Amino acid sequence: MWEADTLLEHMYNEAIREAKDRQVSMSPSERKLLLKQVLRQLIGEFEINVNHKPVLLERVPCEGYVRERVELSAVPGVSYAAYVLIPDGSQGKPMPAVVAVHGHGYGSREIVGLREDGSTDTEQPGIHRHFAVELARRGMVVIAPDVAGFGERRLMADLARDPDTPNSCHRLSTQLMMYGKTVAGLRVAETLGAVGHLAERPEVQPGRIGIMGFSGGGLISFLCAALDERIRAAVLAGYPNTFKDSIMEIRHCVCNYIPGILKHAELPEWLGLMAPRPLFLESGTHDPIFPAAGFNAAVDRLREIYRREGSEEKLQTDLFPGAHQISGRHSYDWLFEQLNRPDMPPPLPRIRF
């Protein structure tokens, strides 16, 4: 009789038990430092391109902001584009800034108010809700990088087989794993490159940079926030959960999986590496792939972590009526408020990933 189901359940229970045993054997600060070191190893490190100079590709006036498109490179031999939304009135007045990270779809255009072909999207927004535009209209400079594998960054090999292929997550994920790396690691390296670009822009206050990511963009955002304290506040939407209730229970894209990560901690503890910095979690009550039960379980664990660090008030959540989508009904304004706090610490040095 096949008992692989029993095996998987046993392995999960053993991983959680061993993680709890390690927790009690060290102080919280030692545990956090260890997890950060382990996380870098698990996702795989990439050589960083230190010599690239950003290239301005276009500059378009929009209602309430200017939209630039720039070419960046974080890893040698690989470049990517990013939209930068600069609110009107930024001249001579540096503003807080946000990295906006899209999830599965047609790329950064989906969150900056454009259709897949680059024309203006005048229809009702989809699940991404044009959230980069919403953040810019609240007075934050926003950078929305193209995530590797989506939109214009789909691999030529995939497009040759199917011009309508939705993404290149599978090919990127499986081939990078053959080298002991992950597509999450590549995406983190490039997203932190976007953080670095923001920090160097004259319109931006480099000590007031946040991040907001949706779905797979939430995965990238939490990894970046955990590993780089230049990110002073984070909003994770349509992603916060437990591994057990989400990616281990429901079929997800392979890009959500990081080999070995569950041997060290469940997802809520990984998210807790953000503490005591401000963190906002939002999810839909009827999200079919990141269920409400897992969201609530993650929130309960994170409250313990933030309470232990004396910063429970810096953790905010919103389980809103909806499915797998951005809400923003509280998170947009919350992020603006956090990045404008008068007690915001001074800028931190750039972290080399």
Side-chain angles (χ1 to χ4, degrees):
M1 179 177 181
W2 294 102
E3 296 185 351
D5 301 87
T6 303
L7 172 64
L8 292 177
E9 186 68 22
H10 172 74
M11 291 180 69
Y12 177 83
N13 291 334
E14 280 295 294
I16 296 303
R17 182 187 62 77
E18 291 174 5
K20 288 181 177 178
D21 289 345
R22 287 191 291 270
Q23 276 183 277
V24 300
S25 68
M26 61 183 71
S27 70
S29 59
E30 290 172 333
R31 171 76 171 161
K32 179 183 283 189
L33 179 61
L34 175 63
L35 286 180
K36 288 186 177 183
Q37 293 171 344
V38 166
L39 190 57
R40 285 191 173 90
Q41 296 168 0
L42 290 175
I43 65 176
E45 298 187 75
F46 287 80
E47 181 184 355
I48 298 302
N49 187 356
V50 296
N51 298 315
H52 176 74
K53 301 298 182 184
V55 177
L56 179 63
L57 302 176
E58 66 176 23
R59 184 177 172 87
V60 180
C62 301
E63 185 178 351
Y65 61 94
V66 171
R67 186 185 69 237
E68 290 186 355
R69 187 138 169 94
V70 297
E71 181 182 331
L72 306 174
S73 175
V75 175
V78 183
S79 65
Y80 60 104
Y83 287 105
V84 182
L85 311 185
I86 308 163
D88 292 348
S90 64
Q91 295 80 4
K93 179 188 174 185
M95 296 179 170
V98 180
V99 184
V101 191
H102 65 81
H104 284 65
Y106 59 82
S108 61
R109 288 173 175 170
E110 194 162 359
I111 66 174
V112 300
L114 299 175
R115 295 191 181 98
E116 190 169 0
D117 63 4
S119 61
T120 301
D121 185 1
T122 57
E123 303 297 324
Q124 186 72 18
I127 60 174
H128 283 82
R129 296 290 191 268
H130 298 169
F131 75 91
V133 175
E134 294 296 333
L135 294 171
R137 286 177 173 159
R138 282 162 173 79
M140 294 170 278
V141 178
V142 181
I143 188 167
D146 282 338
V147 175
F150 296 102
E152 295 180 330
R153 301 198 67 198
R154 290 170 293 175
L155 297 178
M156 296 302 297
D158 288 330
L159 291 171
R161 288 186 171 215
D162 177 8
D164 297 320
T165 188
N167 58 66
S168 290
C169 293
H170 185 272
R171 186 180 293 269
L172 279 168
S173 296
T174 54
Q175 295 203 18
L176 285 171
M177 280 192 285
M178 297 294 286
Y179 302 101
K181 299 181 184 296
T182 67
V183 70
L186 173 61
R187 290 168 175 174
V188 166
E190 293 188 334
T191 304
L192 291 182
V195 172
H197 177 69
L198 272 185
E200 295 169 357
R201 293 187 66 104
E203 308 95 341
V204 171
Q205 293 177 285
R208 297 179 182 272
I209 295 175
I211 196 165
M212 180 171 181
F214 170 61
S215 193
L219 166 63
I220 300 166
S221 296
F222 111 69
L223 292 170
C224 289
L227 295 173
D228 195 332
E229 293 200 2
R230 290 177 301 170
I231 298 172
R232 306 308 300 153
V235 175
L236 307 179
Y239 177 76
N241 220 275
T242 67
F243 290 139
K244 179 69 169 175
D245 292 307
S246 59
I247 68 169
M248 296 180 71
E249 178 65 21
I250 300 155
R251 185 186 295 270
H252 280 67
C253 179
V254 66
C255 69
N256 284 279
Y257 301 86
I258 298 172
I261 195 168
L262 191 52
K263 290 175 61 178
H264 301 276
E266 243 286 9
L267 181 53
E269 189 177 3
W270 290 112
L271 299 179
L273 295 178
M274 180 74 185
R277 287 168 289 157
L279 175 62
F280 194 107
L281 312 177
E282 71 171 37
S283 192
T285 53
H286 295 90
D287 190 324
I289 58 175
F290 292 98
F295 176 81
N296 287 330
V299 168
D300 289 344
R301 179 69 183 105
L302 277 161
R303 290 206 189 284
E304 295 176 11
I305 294 171
Y306 270 76
R307 188 180 303 117
R308 185 181 65 212
E309 300 221 12
S311 56
E312 188 175 4
E313 76 287 351
K314 292 183 180 179
L315 175 66
Q316 298 294 321
T317 67
D318 182 23
L319 185 61
F320 60 88
H324 187 61
Q325 62 193 79
I326 285 275
S327 168
R329 64 177 184 175
H330 302 306
S331 57
Y332 298 150
D333 292 335
W334 177 91
L335 188 53
F336 178 81
E337 291 166 4
Q338 295 302 315
L339 294 178
N340 279 281
R341 289 171 60 101
D343 58 346
M344 182 70 70
L348 291 163
R350 180 174 182 177
I351 304 297
R352 292 295 181 190
F353 179 73

